Amino acid sequence: MKKIDRKDFLKIGGGAVVGGLAGYTLSGAPFLGFQWLVEWSQDQYVPAPGIEKYVQAVSDSCTNGCKVSVRMIGNRAVKIESKDGVCPACLNGLQLLYHPERISTPMKISGKKGSGNYQPVSWDQALKDISSKMNALVNEGKANTIAAVNKNESLNGQLMEKFVRNAGSNNVYYEPSLNSITSNALGGYVKYDFAKTDFILSFGAKLVEGWGNAVEMQKQFLNWKKNNVKIVQADSVCTRTGGIANEFVGINPGTEAVLAFGMANYLITAKRMTSSGDDFAKWSQLIINKYPLGKVAKLTGVAEDKIKKLADDFAAAKNPVAVAGKGAHGVSGSSAEIIAVYCLNTLVKSGAATLVKNSAVSYTAEFAGLDKFIKEGSFSMMFLNGSDPVYKSVYGEELKKKLEKAFVVAIAPLMNDSAVYADYILPPLSFLEAETPESKPAVKALKESKDAKEIIISLAAMVDKTKNALPKTSADAYKSAGRETAGGKFSFNFEKIKADIEAYEKKLGQNAEYPVTLVPYEAPLVGDGDGLAFPYVLKSIDPSVLNLGKFYVMMNKETGKKHGFSEGSSIKISSARGKLGKAYVHLSDVVAPETVAIPLGFGHESYTKYGNEKGLNPKKIMTADVDPLTGAADWWSTRVKIS
Amino acid sequence: MIVKDSAMKRKWGMAIDLDKCTGCGACSIACNQENNMPIFEDDSDVPKRVAFLELMKVTNDRDAKFPDVKTAFLPKMCQQCEGNAVGKHKADPPCVSVCPAVATDVGDDGVVSQIWSRCIGCRYCQTACPYEARVFNWWKPEYEGSFKNSLSTDVSVASRGTIVKCTFCSHIWKRERDKATANGILDINAVLYTPACASACPTGAIIFGDLNDPESEVSKLAKSDRAVRLVNTVDDETPEKQKALMSKKQYANPKVYYLTSQKWLRDMMRFKKNS
Ligand code: SF4
Ligand code: SF4
Ligand code: SF4
């Protein structure tokens, strides 16, 4: 809708009356004025009535699978409820179900890739075309040029992994998530026993804002309050987790790892603690030589005594746990950081952090991770399973070019920045339309959309090599879902991360060309971008993030003064990788000095008219160094210049 | 069915524990859904936005410097003011007495009602409300295409040019009451309900109940040391002074209580400089 302010509005009102009168006298249409009055006074929409009832559904908004009640009026779902509260991602299920831009039939591209021009096709034609393309690649011995990017490790992600692997390709990736990157860095993802700990030392993990398993974390948060668990948050932006922490340790941006090096150094040298991880001797030697406390204090901005005190408190707790992992949704790939933080757990022999694996999910692919694959890999066929790597990866622009040349299949309920490069878009059900072993569909499926599991199963049945590889029905698929098993042995992987540990010093030092650091933060409901297609999310965005089309970044007050910015002034930000469009400054001391904090999740290009062209996507200019173990970019903090 | 004419003793109130609020935003989405909030293409346009619940981000950095900073969220809706009697003037919320059309009133359950269809759009109440809890439909409420399917039949869609606001989801109260009556429960005082925001909150930060019932959780919370009302200046005075002030002047006296042990947040909410 065109932006109209109140003054314009009054003009329009006046104009309409004048127009009405003019119409009355000149054109002989005497009722024009009434039409306007009717709109003011009578014309409100009346929702269709029906019988009220509640039905059950199982959410697939995250991998948690919460059971919720759906309030129905006739055959319409009008509300998602639960006696335990409902997280916002799940509540958005209703806005997805009835989204006016939902894709409701299989679609085939009918214009240039990226143009968004599609025409509906039958399921038969779509599946036949896709499977014959796949059969051909397999027969030509090019199976490994088939790739898949899963949004997450849900059951349909697991099926996609099985499907593509059985076709003969090793190129199955997941969008970087806490589990995927920690698995690759540590040999398993960390299972935290937050109910048993009395001291949580978080290196910028947004513990109560959606980090990890959001549902579980909300519960744990209440327990921590009850049991007086001490929470220490070290971060360069004081987000809500910083606000609830017993102690907020402000650090310079991008120095989480260095703080962990310093604490480890102190615990190893002064407290004679050791870790049983492989390569510990080499790792500790490097840390001790490279990161003495004085240097750590200088780099992090945390005084030497304070680092010692933190380490002492941590070591003295009964069952302390150190947590890495950054954002509520967005994650960054530094394995040097993840390993250093996990090392602290092994030094104090924390009983609240163990490594586990999912039996159906392997994060080992041809390349170490998605960003590396986008950067260096090639593919001739790509499945995008609910994922949007063009938007979410710092290599989005590079990926666009590769998608343009490949045969791309997207399973997506709404158009997004990646699906717009697909040859075929296949519409999955929302969870309110899906059947699970525990629930019947709450509402009838929209037109021709199908359960994502069934889409993958039917495709697999049509590809010769995968004909017998997958469960026959989605009901069977539930039986073969992955289980949690023990993780591998923790290793410091010294040879692989040695260079990265050394690089921190250089990265964080003075940089005349790019004097300040850009870090992201996540606004409620928007997260790292999925929320933005939903109008009720837009309605909840704080005006300090987006207001009247203006997109704001946060800057420390002193820093603002020093660089000549005041509240509301416009700002241009550029890094070695490029420039961002115009943003505006919101001065706030929740941000560390010499730091600019930019909201994540904005600046979509093709994510419905609600999500499009609102704000900027900082990943376009964020650092793109790919981590050797996680294969994901370590983009969280980036040196920039501002003008 | 005739409902037994029992004395209505309800005084619905709310206690919102800001120390438990993670700022997840579930309350806001639930409120929008429950109350058929209009959907405009750019609802980030705050002045034009129609919503009952605003999830406000609050920080102490007016007075504090990094790293001695704090961040919290405060879900703000209609504070369901009670007002106070001054001389011959009866106790009224600030917004009610100014309405020339009796579109807003206080029910015998304490809820400050708002009847969209009766509102003539003069916006006096919006000016009178100290909490910016009332919103005006400058545009006709729209629901693009299939979004209409998610509209509830319990809340009527407002027309353009009317004021709307949070009613403590009193349609749910009516629904529960009707259900109870249908089941033969005629004592209305036995019926409880939970507004949409309170039932959506994953951490149980929003507690709803009867402030007239001294045993209710909300009554106890409202009396706790952690309770603070939003910018209700008279609360800072001694009980005697309060009485004296309230006999001369009207205060909002909200029935929404916020709970926090964070001094900075209490100070911010009471308009005091952080110490
Ligand atoms: S908050 Fe505003 S709208 Fe609500 S009762 Fe008080 S004065 Fe009226
Ligand atoms: S009580 Fe109901 S109307 Fe009021 S804020 Fe909560 S959900 Fe919205
Ligand atoms: S739902 Fe609860 S925790 Fe979430 S923002 Fe609202 S009050 Fe806070």
Side-chain angles (χ1 to χ4, degrees):
Chain A
M1 181 177 286
K2 192 174 152 279
K3 293 215 179 70
I4 308 178
D5 68 15
R6 203 186 139 208
K7 253 194 276 138
D8 290 334
F9 169 74
L10 293 175
K11 268 189 257 157
I12 296 170
V17 172
V18 173
L21 288 176
Y24 183 77
T25 47
L26 301 175
S27 76
F31 305 121
L32 223 60
F34 292 164
Q35 193 179 319
W36 185 67
L37 282 173
V38 163
E39 193 184 310
W40 268 85
S41 58
Q42 319 272 301
D43 203 17
Q44 61 275 58
Y45 179 75
V46 180
I51 293 170
E52 173 197 338
K53 66 170 188 230
Y54 280 88
V55 297
Q56 304 302 307
V58 179
S59 171
D60 70 353
S61 309
C62 66
T63 49
N64 218 49
C66 294
K67 285 184 201 133
V68 293
S69 311
V70 187
R71 187 173 145 75
M72 305 287 300
I73 301 289
N75 55 10
R76 301 186 294 118
V78 300
K79 188 82 191 306
I80 295 171
E81 296 174 358
S82 156
K83 67 174 185 2
D84 304 319
V86 193
C87 44
C90 183
L91 285 175
N92 282 337
L94 195 57
Q95 290 181 86
L96 174 62
L97 171 70
Y98 292 132
H99 203 293
E101 291 186 35
R102 226 183 109 186
I103 298 165
S104 58
T105 66
M107 306 236 274
K108 189 180 177 177
I109 193 155
S110 65
K112 230 177 114 252
K113 280 199 173 191
S115 68
N117 292 332
Y118 285 87
Q119 77 201 111
V121 290
S122 69
W123 275 106
D124 275 354
Q125 191 197 329
L127 297 182
K128 220 163 99 197
D129 218 14
I130 298 165
S131 57
S132 60
K133 175 89 192 165
M134 235 173 131
N135 276 324
L137 284 170
V138 174
N139 292 339
E140 288 162 33
K142 292 186 188 150
N144 211 27
T145 68
I146 304 167
V149 178
N150 282 317
K151 178 180 176 63
N152 59 27
E153 302 82 353
S154 61
L155 196 48
N156 70 59
Q158 296 176 16
L159 288 172
M160 180 59 86
E161 169 153 4
K162 215 175 217 171
F163 172 42
V164 174
R165 280 193 194 282
N166 276 287
S169 172
N170 223 358
N171 281 309
V172 181
Y173 301 91
Y174 290 81
E175 279 186 347
S177 66
L178 186 63
N179 282 4
S180 70
I181 65 163
T182 43
S183 282
N184 286 344
L186 301 170
Y189 56 90
V190 190
K191 187 175 178 180
Y192 295 98
D193 194 347
F194 285 120
K196 284 217 194 99
T197 170
D198 58 336
F199 189 116
I200 300 168
L201 175 59
S202 154
F203 291 80
K206 312 296 181 274
L207 297 175
V208 299
E209 293 156 65
W211 175 93
N213 180 335
V215 178
E216 176 65 20
M217 293 308 286
Q218 305 272 18
K219 271 189 220 134
Q220 294 303 340
F221 166 53
L222 295 175
N223 285 335
W224 298 337
K225 285 177 64 68
K226 239 186 274 155
N227 304 334
N228 284 320
V229 175
K230 175 151 183 184
I231 299 161
V232 177
Q233 173 82 335
D235 207 340
S236 52
V237 182
C238 179
T239 67
R240 184 61 186 133
T241 302
I244 62 111
N246 305 73
E247 192 177 343
F248 176 68
V249 180
I251 57 171
N252 291 332
T255 61
E256 287 87 349
V258 178
L259 181 64
F261 297 157
M263 289 180 64
N265 185 343
Y266 173 73
L267 292 176
I268 295 163
T269 50
K271 302 280 150 188
R272 308 248 155 257
M273 290 181 165
T274 57
S275 164
S276 57
D278 291 346
D279 285 349
F280 173 65
K282 286 191 214 155
W283 184 85
S284 55
Q285 209 48 55
L286 180 67
I287 295 298
I288 292 164
N289 291 338
K290 245 353 273 199
Y291 293 98
L293 284 200
K295 194 194 272 178
V296 170
K298 213 170 135 240
L299 290 172
T300 57
V302 184
E304 217 171 299
D305 285 348
K306 174 95 201 181
I307 300 172
K308 285 187 194 161
K309 168 103 186 14
L310 269 181
D312 283 333
D313 288 354
F314 180 68
K318 247 206 295 227
N319 192 16
V321 65
V323 185
K326 295 280 171 35
H329 301 273
V331 292
S332 184
S334 167
S335 50
E337 179 177 324
I338 293 165
I339 288 172
V341 173
Y342 192 73
C343 166
L344 296 175
N345 288 323
T346 59
L347 289 175
V348 298
K349 314 231 163 356
S350 167
T354 40
L355 298 181
V356 292
K357 278 186 176 155
N358 181 317
S359 62
V361 179
S362 143
Y363 296 111
T364 341
E366 195 75 22
F367 291 83
L370 181 58
D371 290 322
K372 193 167 174 73
F373 172 65
I374 298 174
K375 189 178 170 206
E376 292 169 18
S378 61
F379 53 89
S380 56
M381 183 169 190
M382 167 65 89
F383 286 98
L384 298 165
N385 185 18
S387 56
D388 188 3
V390 166
Y391 176 76
K392 291 196 179 157
S393 169
V394 291
Y395 286 106
E397 294 300 318
E398 286 78 352
L399 180 57
K400 278 182 191 171
K401 286 181 208 129
K402 294 191 176 179
L403 290 174
E404 262 169 19
K405 287 189 227 130
F407 183 86
V408 182
V409 180
I411 301 180
L414 295 172
M415 185 59 84
N416 64 40
D417 295 9
S418 310
V420 76
Y421 290 90
D423 295 79
Y424 277 101
I425 304 182
L426 308 177
L429 297 180
S430 81
F431 79 83
L432 294 163
E433 301 155 301
E435 181 164 351
T436 72
E438 288 156 308
S439 64
K440 293 255 164 290
V443 293
K444 220 175 108 237
L446 175 70
K447 292 198 191 146
E448 294 180 35
S449 38
K450 278 189 183 169
D451 192 322
K453 296 184 279 300
E454 264 159 41
I455 299 175
I456 299 164
I457 289 171
S458 346
L459 266 176
M462 294 166 77
V463 173
D464 301 332
K465 235 177 129 199
T466 59
K467 228 188 266 162
N468 301 313
L470 265 64
K472 289 282 163 268
T473 64
S474 43
D476 289 340
Y478 281 94
K479 289 176 213 148
S480 64
R483 285 163 296 105
E484 202 162 85
T485 59
K489 177 153 195 296
F490 170 53
S491 163
F492 284 87
N493 264 308
F494 182 72
E495 295 306 328
K496 286 207 169 145
I497 62 165
K498 172 168 79 177
D500 275 354
I501 296 177
E502 284 171 338
Y504 270 100
E505 209 186 327
K506 192 162 153 259
K507 240 184 357 201
L508 299 169
Q510 290 292 325
N511 184 329
E513 195 183 355
Y514 298 107
V516 295
T517 306
L518 183 68
V519 294
Y521 79 95
E522 291 155 296
L525 299 167
V526 178
D528 65 346
D530 290 348
L532 220 59
F534 306 119
Y536 288 154
V537 168
L538 288 168
K539 227 187 235 305
S540 310
I541 294 173
D542 193 270
S544 67
V545 176
L546 187 69
N547 190 9
L548 288 165
K550 284 184 173 176
F551 181 65
Y552 289 83
V553 298
M554 292 198 290
M555 192 190 289
N556 181 283
K557 289 179 190 162
E558 290 278 310
T559 309
K561 214 191 267 167
K562 183 175 146 197
H563 295 274
F565 293 95
S566 48
E567 180 69 27
S569 44
S570 78
I571 182 172
K572 289 220 166 107
I573 306 170
S574 51
S575 76
R577 281 188 73 222
K579 334 189 217 310
L580 280 180
K582 190 155 72 167
Y584 295 84
V585 173
H586 171 51
L587 293 176
S588 171
D589 262 30
V590 301
V591 182
E594 301 302 319
T595 307
V596 174
I598 189 166
L600 268 190
F602 292 86
H604 293 266
E605 289 164 359
S606 305
Y607 194 37
T608 79
K609 72 169 166 215
Y610 299 98
N612 284 349
E613 278 152 42
K614 292 195 172 73
L616 306 166
N617 181 1
K619 288 192 186 158
K620 294 214 154 123
I621 66 160
M622 290 298 213
T623 323
D625 297 339
V626 172
D627 184 271
L629 284 176
T630 65
D634 180 21
W635 55 273
W636 200 265
S637 67
T638 302
R639 300 301 288 252
V640 293
K641 63 178 167 210
I642 47 178
S643 60
Chain B
M1 174 164 306
I2 298 161
V3 175
K4 194 180 91 188
D5 187 21
S6 63
M8 296 272 282
K9 289 184 286 229
R10 294 296 199 206
K11 186 164 120 187
W12 297 118
M14 202 178 253
I16 306 180
D17 193 335
L18 300 178
D19 297 345
K20 278 190 189 169
C21 173
T22 60
C24 73
C27 51
S28 169
I29 304 267
C31 176
N32 287 323
Q33 262 159 4
E34 183 71 40
N35 291 287
N36 292 344
M37 286 295 105
I39 290 170
F40 296 119
E41 200 169 308
D42 187 1
D43 261 322
S44 70
D45 189 344
V46 181
K48 207 175 95 182
R49 183 186 279 178
V50 180
F52 295 170
L53 188 157
E54 187 187 347
L55 185 60
M56 299 174 78
K57 183 174 161 191
V58 197
T59 59
N60 65 342
D61 72 337
R62 190 186 53 190
D63 308 316
K65 275 194 163 44
F66 189 87
D68 301 317
V69 281
K70 293 276 184 193
T71 296
F73 286 92
L74 185 148
K76 188 215 73 187
M77 62 290 276
C78 167
Q79 304 289 297
Q80 302 289 344
C81 309
E82 200 174 355
N84 55 275
V86 178
K88 276 196 220 122
H89 203 296
K90 73 178 175 85
D92 249 342
C95 57
V96 165
S97 53
V98 298
C99 179
V102 208
T104 181
D105 207 347
V106 192
D108 44 12
D109 50 3
V111 173
V112 181
S113 63
Q114 174 73 15
I115 301 170
W116 325 156
S117 56
R118 213 181 263 171
C119 172
I120 57 168
C122 69
R123 301 172 59 217
Y124 288 173
C125 59
Q126 194 181 27
T127 320
C129 168
Y131 298 110
E132 287 188 355
R134 293 176 163 264
V135 271
F136 187 63
N137 282 299
W138 286 103
W139 274 261
K140 182 182 157 192
E142 304 265 7
Y143 309 89
E144 193 197 353
S146 44
F147 272 141
K148 292 193 186 75
N149 286 334
S150 64
L151 295 182
S152 152
T153 44
D154 288 350
V155 178
S156 62
V157 171
S159 46
R160 181 179 177 183
T162 56
I163 288 276
V164 290
K165 73 164 191 80
C166 152
T167 60
F168 263 176
C169 287
S170 56
H171 59 279
I172 304 184
W173 162 230
K174 292 188 191 105
R175 196 161 80 204
E176 290 307 309
R177 237 166 33 181
D178 291 350
K179 249 191 239 158
T181 339
N183 289 332
I185 300 168
L186 300 185
D187 180 5
I188 288 166
N189 292 322
V191 182
L192 289 170
Y193 83 108
T194 315
C197 53
S199 71
C201 178
T203 61
I206 306 180
I207 303 296
F208 185 80
D210 185 1
L211 288 166
N212 267 356
D213 173 2
E215 291 309 307
S216 70
E217 196 182 353
V218 71
S219 288
K220 290 181 189 155
L221 291 171
K223 285 189 203 95
S224 85
D225 292 344
R226 294 169 62 237
V228 53
R229 295 192 288 184
L230 197 55
V231 221
N232 198 46
T233 45
V234 72
D235 288 358
D236 293 333
E237 310 294 345
T238 58
E240 299 78 56
K241 188 107 187 267
Q242 279 182 9
K243 224 169 142 194
L245 282 170
M246 285 205 280
S247 70
K248 288 199 216 89
K249 199 178 157 218
Q250 282 194 311
Y251 292 88
N253 279 317
K255 291 192 289 290
V256 174
Y257 291 79
Y258 290 92
L259 305 169
T260 176
S261 48
Q262 301 276 310
K263 184 165 182 306
W264 71 271
L265 190 49
R266 301 171 66 86
D267 287 348
M268 295 272 306
M269 291 172 69
R270 304 166 98 154
F271 244 52
K272 283 194 195 160
K273 196 170 158 56
N274 291 162
S275 37

